[in-house]
Amino acid sequence: AEDASGAMLFGSSADGLCRFDGQRGRRFGPSEGLAATVIEGMRRDGDDVWLATRGHGLVLWEGGSARFRSFSRREGLDTD
């Protein structure tokens, strides 16, 4: 996927979310607020990106603030 600034986003099978802006790469994982390390899918929604994770439900990456918000069974999803 591509974020609103044109950087490429890559989901990982073990290392969370990776972002590459053409010159630098950055990884987002638990220490950056992303609880999930397995990203199974993603979809851009304006400035934000929705991440489908394994075992941690849906995660909204608020691209402008680089903040993550998780949605799981507690918020009404059928599965995590």
Side-chain angles (χ1 to χ4, degrees), residues 1-40:
E2 188 176 308
D3 71 12
S5 70
M8 295 303 299
L9 301 172
F10 303 93
S12 169
S13 62
D15 291 323
L17 178 69
C18 301
R19 180 181 183 274
F20 182 67
D21 67 7
Q23 296 189 354
R24 288 181 289 165
R26 181 173 179 194
R27 187 185 74 82
F28 297 92
S31 61
E32 291 78 27
L34 175 60
T37 56
V38 178
I39 308 297
E40 295 186 333

Side-chain angles (χ1 to χ4, degrees), residues 49-72:
V49 177
W50 287 95
L51 308 171
T53 71
R54 182 178 300 157
H56 292 277
L58 289 173
V59 175
L60 177 63
W61 180 53
E62 297 174 335
S65 66
R67 193 176 108 198
F68 296 95
R69 291 178 42 203
S70 296
F71 299 88
S72 63

